[in-house]
């Protein structure tokens, strides 16, 4: 059983010691699918120019995942649009890098041809470019927005390319269970005009003076509209760091968790009576620091000391305040007094 | 319906307080009339299962004929009764049961167990952070109705 050692997977962007088995793991497959999907969209963008070469060359750049280099077409560098990108995607080096990527990452071999241009495609393109029958960018409606590498163009291509399985366009009417009201509610301000079914009774609500919207339109709910003002307490116990608090909030996945914590703290604050200031004889609820014994013993000791103190203050006169006399001086004075006596 | 152990709410502030103060429990609000036969059937189901669900759910009835409750009828777009709305920590919970309206359950439940299953599904979804859950009941036990919407 030899040690596999750690190796870095560029697709998952993490180190692993699974060896060659890593390419079959679920995480790697998902990451690979997303990465290849994005790369496919970029290459489809360039493929659009392969089919319809433009005379005006807009600036265009993308990162080639397989060769790990930037492929740029600056404006003015060539008279044909994306010529650098097209040449790169057809080059032998790129094709061999694509094959190497496929071997290393275990992607589906049937989809490999989407990521480079074949010789036939290049030959056709060069023939069209050589003929000089290049279209002007303004007359080509299908490549609208292709001048910028923007998200709208990518989405347009995604909607167009129905044969690519990684791009899935859902119909607008389908409401997935993960969509919250705020995402799709703002657009649908609708209300029911007629309702019927089985033996259900109908109810027609009396018309309101102002229609502020309803649950379908994402309006604010009526039970939160007239909230009493509350303090800044968010229900977390004091004394924990901000980082720890954020971590606790992140792990708490309950619906309305923040609200529940805040409301609990508020209710506890309202329920508990206000504690009075500590009296002079307040005793802490742990035993004496430097002495052994339970609280009962330390309390007895405290009570006795208090009694003694009280007696001393009431009975005795306050002692006369005398200046400090050092020991040497004191001895000297005694000797002088003693010496005087002997004499 | 005090006989069933469920309180009937007729004031907005009572409903607000109920929604705001029910913490970490599913709140089930039935909007309907006590005299309607289907409402009565549903109320019996709710009353009988309230004890079993008391650990993680609270149930209350709301009278749709009260003046202050009209704002809720407008907000939830309630046109058919009985309509049952679910909440968790002041958040309105939706349920996809294959009907045109996911925001509430319209009609009565076939059995007590169906209602318990629905509340349990909502509780589990809410504890996981889901605002909309799938209905665990088969389609033949979900009451059918039609709604005609109009865009404002």
């Amino acid at each position: 059983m030899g040690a596999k050692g750690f190796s870095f997977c560029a697709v998952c962007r993490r180190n692993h010691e699974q060896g060659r088995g890593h390419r079959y793991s679920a995480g790697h497959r998902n990451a690979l699918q997303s990465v290849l999907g994005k790369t496919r969209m970029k290459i489809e963008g360039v493929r659009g120019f392969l089919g319809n070469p433009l005379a005006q060359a807009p600036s265009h750049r993308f990162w080639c995942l397989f060769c790990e280099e930037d492929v740029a077409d600056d404006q003015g560098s060539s008279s044909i649009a994306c010529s650098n990108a097209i040449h790169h995607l057809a080059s032998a080096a790129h094709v061999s890098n694509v094959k190497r990527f496929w071997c290393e990452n275990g992607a589906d071999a049937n989809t490999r041809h989407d990521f480079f241009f074949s010789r036939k495609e290049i030959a056709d393109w060069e023939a069209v470019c050589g003929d000089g029958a290049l279209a002007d960018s303004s007359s080509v409606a299908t490549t609208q927005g292709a001048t910028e590498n923007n998200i709208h163009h990518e989405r347009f291509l995604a909607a167009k390319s129905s044969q690519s399985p990684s791009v899935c366009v859902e119909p607008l009417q389908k409401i997935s269970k993960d969509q919250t009201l705020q995402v799709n509610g703002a657009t649908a301000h609708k209300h029911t005009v007629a309702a019927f079914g089985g033996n259900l009774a109908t109810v027609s609500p009396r018309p309101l003076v102002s229609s502020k919207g309803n649950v379908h339109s994402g309006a604010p709910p009526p039970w939160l509209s007239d909230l009493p003002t509350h303090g800044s307490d968010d229900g977390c116990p004091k004394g924990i760091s901000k980082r720890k608090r954020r971590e606790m909030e992140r792990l708490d996945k309950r619906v309305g968790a923040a609200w529940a914590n805040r409301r609990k703290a508020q209710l506890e604050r309202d329920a508990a009576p206000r504690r009075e200031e500590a009296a002079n004889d307040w005793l802490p609820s742990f035993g004496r620091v430097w002495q052994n014994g339970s609280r009962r013993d330390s309390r007895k000791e405290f009570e006795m000391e208090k009694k003694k103190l009280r007696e001393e203050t009431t009975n005795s006169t306050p002692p006369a305040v005398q200046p400090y006399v050092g020991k040497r001086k004191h001895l000297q004075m005694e000797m002088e007094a003693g010496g005087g006596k002997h004499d | 319906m005090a006989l069933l152990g469920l309180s009937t709410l007729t004031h907005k502030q009572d409903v607000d307080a109920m929604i705001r103060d029910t913490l970490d429990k599913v709140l089930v609000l039935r909007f309907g009339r006590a005299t309607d036969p289907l409402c009565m059937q549903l109320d019996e189901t709710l009353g009988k299962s309230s004890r079993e669900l008391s650990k993680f759910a609270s149930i209350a009835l709301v009278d749709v004929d009260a003046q202050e409750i009209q704002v809720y009828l407008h907000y939830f777009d309630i046109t058919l009764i009985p309509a049952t709305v679910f909440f968790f920590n002041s958040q309105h919970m939706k349920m996809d049961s294959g009907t045109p309206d996911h925001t509430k359950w319209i009609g009565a439940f076939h059995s007590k167990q169906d209602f318990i299953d629905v509340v349990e599904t909502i509780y589990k979804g809410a504890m996981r952070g889901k605002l909309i859950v799938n209905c665990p009941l088969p389609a033949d036990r979900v009451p059918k109705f039609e709604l005609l919407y109009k865009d404002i």
Side-chain angles (χ1 to χ4, degrees), chain A residues 58-63 69-75 77 82-85 88:
Chain A
S59 62
H60 180 262
R61 68 189 304 121
F62 75 94
W63 169 262
E69 62 181 25
D70 225 359
V71 178
D73 274 289
D74 298 319
Q75 204 157 5
S77 62
C82 292
S83 60
N84 272 353
H88 172 84

Side-chain angles (χ1 to χ4, degrees), chain A residues 258-325:
Chain A
W259 163 267
N261 292 338
R262 222 180 311 136
R263 187 81 186 129
K264 261 188 210 158
Q266 214 177 350
L267 291 171
E268 272 169 23
R269 241 201 334 265
D270 295 339
R274 197 177 151 71
R275 243 186 288 163
E276 285 160 11
E277 296 296 325
N280 282 342
D281 59 351
W282 173 79
L283 198 68
S285 58
F286 50 88
R288 287 259 170 115
V289 176
W290 302 112
Q291 288 130 21
N292 290 328
S294 67
R295 186 186 182 275
R296 199 167 64 172
D297 295 339
S298 62
R299 192 181 61 173
K300 268 201 188 135
E301 231 178 286
F302 175 73
E303 296 288 330
M304 289 191 29
E305 278 176 15
K306 205 169 79 169
K307 202 164 127 189
K308 220 183 278 179
L309 195 70
R310 217 184 303 131
E311 282 169 7
E312 278 172 15
T313 48
T314 51
N315 294 343
S316 62
T317 54
V321 175
Q322 291 176 359
Y324 171 70
V325 176

Side-chain angles (χ1 to χ4, degrees), chain B residues 25-43:
Chain B
K25 273 188 172 188
V26 176
L27 174 64
V28 182
L29 286 185
R30 183 279 275 148
F31 287 84
R33 279 187 200 110
T35 50
D36 182 56
L38 203 58
C39 286
M40 284 200 267
Q41 185 187 336
L42 176 64
D43 292 350

Side-chain angles (χ1 to χ4, degrees), chain A residues 36 39 43 64-68 94 97-98 100-102 115:
Chain A
L36 287 181
T39 313
I43 293 178
C64 179
L65 174 73
F66 313 107
C67 310
E68 290 180 356
H94 174 78
N97 281 331
V98 168
R100 180 186 52 77
F101 185 90
W102 247 247
F115 294 89

Side-chain angles (χ1 to χ4, degrees), chain B residues 137-148:
Chain B
L137 307 179
D140 56 342
R141 289 220 276 267
V142 176
K144 299 282 178 287
F145 57 91
E146 296 288 332
L147 294 175
L148 279 175

Side-chain angles (χ1 to χ4, degrees), chain A residues 67-196:
Chain A
C67 310
E68 290 180 356
E69 62 181 25
D70 225 359
V71 178
D73 274 289
D74 298 319
Q75 204 157 5
S77 62
S78 161
S79 61
I80 305 162
C82 292
S83 60
N84 272 353
I86 292 171
H87 281 300
H88 172 84
L89 289 171
S91 62
H94 174 78
V95 174
S96 71
N97 281 331
V98 168
K99 286 182 183 165
R100 180 186 52 77
F101 185 90
W102 247 247
C103 278
E104 280 176 3
N105 293 287
D108 186 12
N110 297 331
T111 56
R112 198 166 57 190
H113 58 271
D114 291 335
F115 294 89
F116 58 85
F117 296 153
S118 62
R119 282 183 204 155
K120 185 181 177 307
E121 284 172 314
I122 284 292
D124 292 341
W125 175 74
E126 279 174 351
V128 168
C129 295
D131 281 348
L134 292 169
D136 202 358
S137 62
S138 58
S139 64
V140 180
T142 52
T143 53
Q144 189 182 7
T147 51
E148 290 157 32
N149 194 11
N150 58 10
I151 194 165
H152 300 292
H153 179 56
E154 285 177 359
R155 277 201 181 157
F156 167 73
L157 285 176
K160 232 179 63 156
S161 62
S162 54
Q163 58 265 27
S164 56
S166 62
V167 175
C168 179
V169 179
E170 286 188 5
L172 280 170
Q173 291 80 14
K174 185 177 174 186
I175 301 167
S176 73
K177 62 180 169 178
D178 289 331
Q179 275 181 350
T180 60
L181 191 64
Q182 284 78 23
V183 175
N184 59 357
T187 53
H189 191 173
K190 57 182 185 182
H191 72 290
T192 312
V193 289
F196 32 87

Side-chain angles (χ1 to χ4, degrees), chain B residues 39-121:
Chain B
C39 286
M40 284 200 267
Q41 185 187 336
L42 176 64
D43 292 350
E44 198 177 326
T45 310
L46 298 181
K48 282 189 172 168
S49 41
S50 65
R51 195 185 157 86
E52 272 108 340
L53 299 171
S54 59
K55 291 273 185 190
F56 62 95
S58 306
I59 307 174
L61 311 176
V62 183
D63 186 14
V64 296
D65 292 323
Q67 172 58 34
E68 291 182 37
I69 302 299
Q70 301 305 305
V71 66
Y72 279 101
L73 299 191
H74 275 279
Y75 179 74
F76 287 114
D77 198 24
I78 293 173
T79 43
L80 292 171
I81 54 164
T84 311
V85 187
F86 301 95
F87 302 86
F88 189 85
N89 281 343
S90 298
Q91 281 270 26
H92 172 222
M93 295 292 293
K94 295 191 196 181
M95 184 168 63
D96 181 4
S97 42
T99 55
D101 195 347
H102 297 170
T103 58
K104 49 196 170 291
W105 174 273
I106 292 184
F109 289 93
H110 191 258
S111 66
K112 203 173 89 170
Q113 190 55 46
D114 283 357
F115 174 63
I116 292 173
D117 291 342
V118 162
V119 175
E120 202 181 315
T121 308

